[in-house]
Amino acid sequence: MQLNTENIVIGPFEIIAIGFIFNENIQFADSTIGPLLGATVSYSSTVLGRLGAKVGIVSNVGKDIPPSFLQPIYESRVDTSGLHIREDSPTTTTLLVYDKKGFKNIKYLKKAPTITFEDIPKDYLNSKVVYFCAVDFDIKPETVQKLKSLGITTAADMGGFGGAHNSDETRCEFIKDRARNLKAYTDY
């Protein structure tokens, strides 16, 4: 995959967004659209970059990701030194299904490797804010803890840590075991 290096932003970074990038299809009662670029990390980093923030992204994708999917990220001047294209792993692929009443269910057809502390470039460790954009436990809780211990302001979308993006059973289990601990390591 060819990277347009003129769009690379060199730190210090204001915000780092961490989470899975999706190859997403969206199914409605009467139609299906996609594949599309999906996931909170994609949308938030792109918007922040277009607003002029110095933003970096940390994600794992496979060689199967269509190069055009990453173009909005590159064009938004998001630093992609934390975007890892894994030779032997897939891109997270989802089917987002809306029923006739508008309720949604996310089906994870393929998943990229979980994001670990070691996936984060050292240059990102001086950022002002880290935004955890998890969608399906894609970031190890230990990674959240380590980043918080560095004194970086942290924020989390709880949807991917046992929240709205997960089944009722998964949410209940998570809330019992980890939600309180995770909250201790995030500011927002």
Side-chain angles (χ1 to χ4, degrees):
M1 188 174 308
Q2 189 67 8
L3 172 63
N4 183 350
T5 55
E6 68 188 54
N7 287 337
I8 300 277
V9 176
I10 305 300
F13 295 96
E14 294 171 298
I15 189 164
I16 303 304
I18 303 176
F20 283 158
I21 291 174
F22 287 174
N23 178 344
E24 186 163 66
N25 287 281
I26 305 172
Q27 181 179 332
F28 300 98
D30 58 353
S31 65
T32 300
I33 59 172
L36 305 165
L37 172 66
T40 307
V41 73
S42 306
Y43 309 140
S44 61
S45 63
T46 299
V47 168
L48 288 164
R50 288 182 187 235
L51 290 172
K54 291 183 178 179
V55 60
I57 190 171
V58 179
S59 192
N60 290 323
V61 297
K63 286 179 61 175
D64 60 342
I65 192 163
S68 63
F69 276 31
L70 300 176
Q71 202 58 38
I73 295 169
Y74 298 144
E75 290 171 357
S76 301
R77 300 188 49 80
V78 173
D79 184 87
T80 56
S81 55
L83 177 60
H84 305 283
I85 300 171
R86 305 292 184 191
E87 298 286 326
D88 56 350
S89 300
T91 299
T92 299
T93 302
T94 62
L95 177 61
L96 179 57
V97 181
Y98 285 92
D99 67 18
K100 289 181 182 182
K101 293 182 180 181
F103 294 104
K104 72 178 180 180
N105 181 32
I106 302 173
K107 296 180 181 181
Y108 295 92
L109 308 176
K110 295 190 266 182
K111 284 183 67 176
T114 303
I115 298 165
T116 66
F117 186 79
E118 291 71 28
D119 292 323
I120 303 168
K122 290 189 181 359
D123 289 346
Y124 287 7
L125 299 179
N126 292 321
S127 68
K128 295 178 183 176
V129 176
V130 173
Y131 177 37
F132 301 106
C133 308
V135 289
D136 189 38
F137 300 101
D138 32 329
I139 306 164
K140 288 194 175 275
E142 300 81 32
T143 301
V144 176
Q145 183 179 359
K146 284 182 183 178
L147 286 164
K148 180 61 182 166
S149 73
L150 296 174
I152 301 170
T153 298
T154 56
D157 178 343
M158 295 301 288
F161 291 105
H165 304 307
N166 306 111
S167 68
D168 289 342
E169 181 179 301
T170 301
R171 273 197 299 278
C172 290
E173 189 64 32
F174 176 78
I175 289 168
K176 284 187 224 171
D177 293 339
R178 294 197 211 165
R180 288 184 188 96
N181 292 335
L182 184 63
K183 179 61 181 148
Y185 298 115
T186 58
D187 297 299
Y188 301 98

